[in-house]
Amino acid sequence: MRLATLRDGTRDGRLVVVGRDGLLVADASGVARSLQAALDRWDETQPRLRELAQELDAGRLPGHPFAPGAVHAPLPRAYEWIDGSTYLTHVRLVRKARGAEVPATLETDPLVYQGGSGVLLGPTDPIPLGDPAFGLDFEGEVCVVTGDVPLGTRAEDALRHVRLLCLANDVSLRNLVPAELAKGFGFFQSKPATAFSPFAVTPDELGPAWRGGRVHLRLLVKLNGAVVGDLDAGPEMHFSFADLLAHATRTRALTAGTIVGSGTVSNEDPARGGSCLAERRTREQLAGGAPRTPFLAPGDRVEISMAGPDGRDLFGHIDQVVTA
Amino acid sequence: MRLATLRDGTRDGRLVVVGRDGLLVADASGVARSLQAALDRWDETQPRLRELAQELDAGRLPGHPFAPGAVHAPLPRAYEWIDGSTYLTHVRLVRKARGAEVPATLETDPLVYQGGSGVLLGPTDPIPLGDPAFGLDFEGEVCVVTGDVPLGTRAEDALRHVRLLCLANDVSLRNLVPAELAKGFGFFQSKPATAFSPFAVTPDELGPAWRGGRVHLRLLVKLNGAVVGDLDAGPEMHFSFADLLAHATRTRALTAGTIVGSGTVSNEDPARGGSCLAERRTREQLAGGAPRTPFLAPGDRVEISMAGPDGRDLFGHIDQVVTA
């Protein structure tokens, strides 16, 4: 089942189910007015939403054409956005770029930060750039949306709390990072609003590609129409979503609708490209003494998508243009 | 006007207005079912809530006795919890305690971290302590709850977006802090769920004590019934709430219902005591070579409150007991 949130003038939008081909959506507000409301009582709403999706696919329910610009993020505002950094190639490269040490516990203790979640961007929302000197970058990520996850959940019990998956563009302001992290309190101004894919999908849509708490599919990233990353999101995710959920609930509980991100999808093989510019700039610097690729400027277009096991566009496209 | 959220079995609880004496509350769910719903359309709900409060005080509306255990945090789940560290005495003391440097920009750039906001504790909720080795501590703070705050709000325009004020106990696990901050991504496991005062109050309730984006009142902190802090929350708040809102919106917008905290209220004069144990332990260490005060243990009781300009218990009491 795939779900999306139509813009309707309200803060949380209107929940719709998405047809199998991704061309039609059908109103689901009779089951739950918003995705958050559906997640709040998932045991009751999930089967009814699945029924609606089946009716839509069978042609027994009237659908409306899906238009990418008509949707919000699946959760236009969320109670938590927790982002990991589980692809160690990314951690090693970006830290090298800013002359920072890799943590001693890199391979044993997940890197996780708490992101702002009150204002999230839709898949085609422009990325506002206040100052070109900020060093605007994208980060293609895979995310899970959870139900209630109790305090002290163990990794082996964690995946039962995963309700949905989606993609994110974790917009980053690279030139604000060093000074901010030097203060010791983590990211804040350097992580503006994050954007999400049109569709949030249940794990069964991924079939065997969802295993071990990882998404074994390819993330495709384009900059101004050219492929800059074609990455395998599976094997190099060092900590799984199960590990991230266990880490996040060691000292507190999570509420339904919490979004947890994988961090920038990254592969060791440079031929796969990257899902952010920072890695490419670091590789250029290591090879030739200086980065050649500039950060994003107004007019630049970023697309992030992932094909499902059957070749379908699984989550719809994140497709954003930078504006001044 | 003072507002509170009654536990009623739902995730967001039921909104009530609080009588002038703090003894009676009256159902406000006819205006907005929850505080979040009221904040979502504040221009419309605020005057109607004020009317209800006046009716209650005039005896024209039936009230119910207020019971501290019957309320949630004003927002049992919030879209963002952004916590500053604006009392520089606190920053200097806790960093000294853990042998960390004070940031070079301490006096010019606010320290702010993004906290978890999906599960917040009510004023009398127990503080669960998973492991005594975590080094459990309290932090008494003053907070504002905002409306929508646009991207790029300037400090001089920021205070118009303050809807309510409340108190917080920013529960901290001191012994998890050094390793976590060494990783560079800020607090996560070291900041479990934060607790809030029973009442969230409109700024006019503070009269002239609310000025310059600071609360010029005394924060009273008790540990096991003994006063450990009697602090002036006003003059030593180096960055005001206006500064914090300008900082927070430099690169993104905030949504209605965002909670922004002052950080641990702290005074330079040791005779005022402290609103956390970490400062006291550091002062003991500096004076005698080792901290004598232990961190919190199961059974310990923490109370945090603030008297208003007229001597009333302005926000009600945070009154929590640590449980194993």
Side-chain angles (χ1 to χ4, degrees):
Chain A
M1 174 170 66
R2 300 193 291 177
L3 302 170
T5 297
L6 282 194
R7 295 176 192 276
D8 69 346
T10 67
R11 290 177 181 268
D12 296 305
R14 191 150 45 98
L15 183 64
V16 293
V17 294
V18 181
R20 200 162 161 74
D21 55 12
L23 298 176
L24 291 178
V25 299
D27 182 42
S29 59
V31 177
R33 65 192 152 67
S34 67
L35 180 54
Q36 182 63 52
L39 290 162
D40 281 349
R41 43 194 183 87
W42 189 245
D43 287 348
E44 175 208 334
T45 57
Q46 188 203 182
R48 295 175 60 199
L49 292 170
R50 283 189 186 274
E51 250 174 65
L52 278 186
Q54 282 159 11
E55 295 288 299
L56 175 65
D57 284 336
R60 290 191 296 267
L61 186 72
H64 308 278
F66 166 70
V71 296
H72 279 295
L75 292 167
R77 51 180 181 174
Y79 290 109
E80 296 203 27
W81 159 230
I82 296 169
D83 201 11
S85 190
T86 64
Y87 297 86
L88 303 189
T89 297
H90 175 76
V91 180
R92 293 191 177 107
L93 283 172
V94 295
R95 297 231 172 180
K96 198 170 282 181
R98 58 171 199 262
E101 295 286 313
V102 164
T105 55
L106 182 70
E107 295 185 24
T108 53
D109 186 25
L111 278 167
V112 167
Y113 79 91
Q114 188 86 38
S117 56
V119 177
L120 302 174
L121 299 183
T124 63
D125 280 342
I127 305 173
L129 175 55
D131 184 343
F134 287 165
L136 179 64
D137 200 357
F138 50 91
E139 292 193 346
E141 306 198 2
V142 178
C143 307
V144 298
V145 181
T146 73
D148 294 310
V149 192
L151 172 69
T153 295
R154 297 177 310 170
E156 53 266 44
D157 301 325
L159 296 180
R160 74 177 68 160
H161 303 293
V162 171
R163 300 282 176 261
L164 299 163
L165 293 111
C166 61
L167 302 180
N169 176 10
D170 180 34
V171 178
S172 299
L173 301 172
R174 298 287 176 207
N175 295 341
L176 299 186
V177 171
E180 193 151 65
L181 296 198
K183 290 159 62 182
F185 274 27
F187 304 104
F188 196 93
Q189 293 180 335
S190 54
K191 293 285 186 182
T194 306
F196 291 88
S197 57
F199 309 146
V201 318
T202 49
D204 57 285
E205 291 279 338
L206 280 70
W210 170 243
R211 61 179 188 274
R214 293 173 179 84
V215 173
H216 291 267
L217 293 168
R218 281 158 62 186
L219 187 78
L220 193 71
V221 184
K222 290 184 185 176
L223 175 59
N224 297 324
V227 174
V228 293
D230 182 358
L231 302 138
D232 190 336
E236 295 181 52
M237 187 180 180
H238 183 80
F239 298 102
S240 70
F241 282 110
D243 298 327
L244 291 180
L245 290 175
H247 183 87
T249 60
R250 184 178 174 213
T251 60
R252 59 187 170 94
L254 302 179
T255 199
T258 293
I259 312 173
V260 180
S262 65
T264 317
V265 177
S266 176
N267 289 169
E268 203 176 344
D269 178 2
R272 309 299 301 254
S275 68
C276 69
L277 295 175
E279 291 180 25
R280 185 161 152 177
R281 286 169 53 89
T282 307
R283 284 181 157 132
E284 289 167 352
Q285 190 174 344
L286 294 174
R292 288 189 319 272
T293 304
F295 286 119
L296 297 175
D300 281 338
R301 179 180 178 191
V302 178
E303 291 167 89
I304 300 171
S305 63
M306 183 174 263
D310 52 3
R312 274 188 312 161
D313 182 8
L314 191 56
F315 300 104
H317 276 52
I318 293 176
D319 186 352
Q320 298 183 275
V321 172
V322 178
T323 58
Chain B
M1 173 171 64
R2 301 193 292 176
L3 301 169
T5 296
L6 280 195
R7 296 177 191 277
D8 69 347
T10 67
R11 290 177 181 269
D12 296 304
R14 192 150 45 99
L15 183 64
V16 292
V17 294
V18 180
R20 191 148 175 84
D21 54 13
L23 299 176
L24 291 178
V25 299
D27 183 40
S29 59
V31 177
R33 64 190 154 67
S34 68
L35 180 54
Q36 182 63 52
L39 290 162
D40 281 349
R41 43 193 184 86
W42 189 245
D43 287 347
E44 175 207 334
T45 56
Q46 188 203 180
R48 295 175 59 201
L49 292 169
R50 283 189 187 274
E51 250 173 67
L52 278 185
Q54 282 158 12
E55 294 289 300
L56 175 65
D57 284 336
R60 291 190 295 267
L61 186 73
H64 308 278
F66 166 71
V71 297
H72 279 295
L75 293 167
R77 50 180 181 175
Y79 290 108
E80 295 203 29
W81 159 229
I82 296 169
D83 200 11
S85 191
T86 64
Y87 296 85
L88 303 189
T89 297
H90 175 77
V91 180
R92 294 191 176 108
L93 282 173
V94 295
R95 298 232 171 179
K96 198 171 282 182
R98 59 172 198 263
E101 295 286 313
V102 164
T105 55
L106 182 70
E107 296 185 23
T108 54
D109 187 25
L111 278 167
V112 167
Y113 78 92
Q114 188 86 38
S117 55
V119 177
L120 302 175
L121 300 183
T124 63
D125 280 341
I127 305 172
L129 175 56
D131 184 342
F134 286 165
L136 179 65
D137 200 357
F138 50 90
E139 292 193 345
E141 305 197 3
V142 178
C143 307
V144 298
V145 181
T146 73
D148 293 311
V149 192
L151 171 70
T153 295
R154 297 178 308 171
E156 53 266 45
D157 301 325
L159 296 180
R160 73 177 70 160
H161 303 293
V162 171
R163 300 283 176 260
L164 299 164
L165 292 112
C166 61
L167 302 180
N169 176 10
D170 180 33
V171 177
S172 299
L173 301 171
R174 298 287 176 205
N175 295 340
L176 299 186
V177 171
E180 194 151 65
L181 295 198
K183 290 159 63 183
F185 274 27
F187 304 103
F188 196 94
Q189 293 180 335
S190 53
K191 292 286 186 181
T194 306
F196 291 88
S197 56
F199 310 146
V201 317
T202 48
D204 57 285
E205 291 279 338
L206 280 70
W210 171 243
R211 62 179 188 273
R214 295 174 178 83
V215 173
H216 291 266
L217 292 168
R218 281 159 61 186
L219 186 77
L220 193 70
V221 184
K222 291 184 185 177
L223 174 60
N224 297 323
V227 175
V228 293
D230 183 357
L231 303 138
D232 191 336
E236 294 181 52
M237 186 181 182
H238 183 80
F239 298 103
S240 70
F241 282 109
D243 298 327
L244 291 179
L245 290 175
H247 183 87
T249 60
R250 185 179 173 212
T251 61
R252 59 186 169 94
L254 303 178
T255 199
T258 293
I259 312 173
V260 179
S262 65
T264 317
V265 176
S266 176
N267 289 168
E268 202 177 344
D269 179 2
R272 307 300 298 252
S275 68
C276 70
L277 294 175
E279 290 180 24
R280 184 160 152 176
R281 286 168 53 90
T282 306
R283 284 182 156 132
E284 289 167 351
Q285 191 174 343
L286 295 175
R292 287 189 319 271
T293 304
F295 286 119
L296 296 175
D300 280 338
R301 179 180 178 192
V302 178
E303 292 166 89
I304 301 171
S305 63
M306 184 174 262
D310 52 2
R312 275 189 310 161
D313 181 8
L314 191 56
F315 300 104
H317 275 52
I318 293 176
D319 186 354
Q320 299 183 275
V321 173
V322 179
T323 58

